[in-house]
Amino acid sequence: VNVVRVGARSRVNNSNGNVDLLDLEGPADVTSSFGSVKATNVAGDLSAKASNGSLTATNVQGNANLEGSFGAIRFSDVKKRVTCTGSNSKVSGVRAGETVTIRTTFGAVDVLDVAGVDIENSNGKIVVRGIRGGAMLTTSFGAIEAYDVRGNVTAVNSNAAVTLHDIGGAVEVRTGFGRVSLTDIHGGAKVTSENAGVSLTDIGGPATVKTSFGTLEATRIRGGLTAENSNGAIRASGIEGPVSARTSFAGVTLDGVRENVDVINQNGSVVVGNSWHWEPIKGDPDGRDVYRGSRSRRRSRPSASRFRKTPDTRSRRGPRSGGSTPRCRSACRDRSAASRFPEKSATAAAS
């Protein structure tokens, strides 16, 4: 079926054949099966449904509602909203004036240069680029990749990786069994993962990360860092806020932390550079190694019964044992001299 240059609404219902629409002056409704549907230059809204065939919409001046199964769905240059519903369908699109909503299965999704996206997929990859608003991305058994998104991003995945780069807002990631990589995030970041490594670089706000059985790395965080891991190492550097780190059966390495440090580790080493390094706190109920550190300018010495800091700020590998701080040793010498030579102390006090 070929429909060309119609000045009013167009309605087409077809089976076992292709449908081509071209230069329509009004809206169009198309239903077809066992054949492709192609609509080009539609002045109004477009509603198109194709089963067992591909579906293509180009240069639609209104909204585009596209539904297909067992065939690819493609759109380009839609002035308003785009809604795509697919089954066993690959979906791709470029340039839409309003939000793009996609629901599909068993097919990759690739979207470029649209106002915003809301995508749910399963058993398929999601790639979005050049998004002028926010992005909500959900899939499984397929990677999620988002580049150059100006708003916030929420990514939910399982059994595949998540990669976010150059995000203008905050990000939240929930996944498992797939590596998470976040770079150049202008807002804060929250990651909940398991059985996978997590890497954060150049985060514009505070970061909260929870994972297991994978290395957790954080570099240049313009805020605080809360990192919780198990059976995996934690490595962090260039943190502008406080750090709270928890892990087990692996090491913790911190460098360039500007504010307080709080580390709990079990069966693993702790290395802290460029920040105070405290000895283990006594009496932890779980029997773990607990460290407290501070970069504050306060000169009062903490209670020696709870923790003890090293004499300098160079990197130290914990736990360390024995000895007191220089301030403590100096005070002890003064008290010892006073007890052995009381007359000298009295003379010095009088003078």
Side-chain angles (χ1 to χ4, degrees):
V1 176
N2 295 320
V3 180
V4 181
R5 290 189 294 273
V6 176
R9 176 181 291 273
S10 301
R11 291 186 175 90
V12 178
N13 191 341
N14 189 36
S15 62
N16 298 286
N18 300 331
V19 177
D20 290 337
L21 308 178
L22 177 63
D23 296 335
L24 304 183
E25 297 297 329
D29 300 311
V30 183
T31 301
S32 181
S33 60
F34 296 100
S36 65
V37 174
K38 184 177 180 181
T40 305
N41 300 335
V42 179
D45 295 340
L46 171 65
S47 177
K49 181 178 180 180
S51 59
N52 297 278
S54 63
L55 174 56
T56 304
T58 304
N59 192 21
V60 178
Q61 300 302 310
N63 300 315
N65 186 1
L66 312 176
E67 183 177 350
S69 61
F70 296 97
I73 301 174
R74 305 180 186 89
F75 68 85
S76 62
D77 297 302
V78 178
K79 299 300 182 183
K80 295 185 178 180
R81 185 180 66 253
V82 178
T83 302
C84 297
T85 304
S87 175
N88 297 272
S89 300
K90 176 182 178 180
V91 179
S92 60
V94 56
R95 293 183 297 276
E98 297 182 8
T99 300
V100 174
T101 302
I102 299 175
R103 303 289 185 267
T104 190
T105 60
F106 294 97
V109 177
D110 192 336
V111 177
L112 169 65
D113 190 15
V114 301
V117 291
D118 181 357
I119 302 174
E120 291 185 10
N121 194 5
S122 63
N123 298 275
K125 183 178 182 179
I126 296 176
V127 179
V128 297
R129 296 162 290 168
I131 309 303
R132 299 187 296 275
M136 298 185 64
L137 312 172
T138 304
T139 191
S140 61
F141 295 97
I144 292 178
E145 299 179 10
Y147 308 97
D148 186 21
V149 179
R150 297 183 184 178
N152 299 332
V153 175
T154 299
V156 181
N157 199 1
S158 62
N159 297 280
V162 175
T163 302
L164 308 180
H165 174 71
D166 191 12
I167 308 301
V171 303
E172 180 177 0
V173 178
R174 300 189 297 273
T175 188
F177 297 94
R179 181 170 177 78
V180 177
S181 177
L182 309 182
T183 57
D184 196 11
I185 309 299
H186 294 188
K190 181 179 180 180
V191 178
T192 304
S193 181
E194 59 181 352
N195 296 281
V198 177
S199 175
L200 282 67
T201 305
D202 292 322
I203 308 300
T208 301
V209 184
K210 181 178 181 180
T211 190
S212 61
F213 294 96
T215 301
L216 192 162
E217 298 177 294
T219 306
R220 295 187 296 276
I221 310 297
R222 290 182 289 277
L225 172 64
T226 301
E228 182 178 345
N229 200 355
S230 62
N231 297 275
I234 296 176
R235 304 189 188 107
S237 62
I239 313 300
E240 296 188 5
V243 172
S244 174
R246 307 285 186 272
T247 192
S248 60
F249 297 97
V252 176
T253 303
L254 307 178
D255 189 24
V257 181
R258 296 190 179 182
E259 296 189 16
N260 293 346
V261 175
D262 186 351
V263 180
I264 296 179
N265 196 359
Q266 180 177 353
N267 298 291
S269 63
V270 174
V271 178
V272 181
N274 254 359
S275 62
W276 295 119
H277 180 196
W278 304 105
E279 296 295 340
I281 295 177
K282 297 180 180 180
D284 180 66
D286 298 325
R288 299 170 295 184
D289 293 334
V290 181
Y291 299 81
R292 293 287 189 271
S294 175
R295 292 280 298 169
S296 66
R297 297 173 181 263
R298 294 174 55 193
R299 296 190 177 275
S300 60
R301 183 173 61 84
S303 173
S305 64
R306 294 203 58 209
F307 43 69
R308 188 177 290 125
K309 73 176 181 180
T310 56
D312 54 44
T313 60
R314 293 175 296 177
S315 295
R316 299 284 180 178
R317 185 174 299 276
R320 298 174 57 87
S321 61
S324 57
T325 66
R327 289 172 58 88
C328 181
R329 288 198 295 270
S330 176
C332 291
R333 285 197 299 269
D334 293 343
R335 287 195 297 270
S336 177
S339 62
R340 286 183 293 170
F341 305 103
E343 65 282 1
K344 293 184 178 181
S345 300
T347 303
S351 62

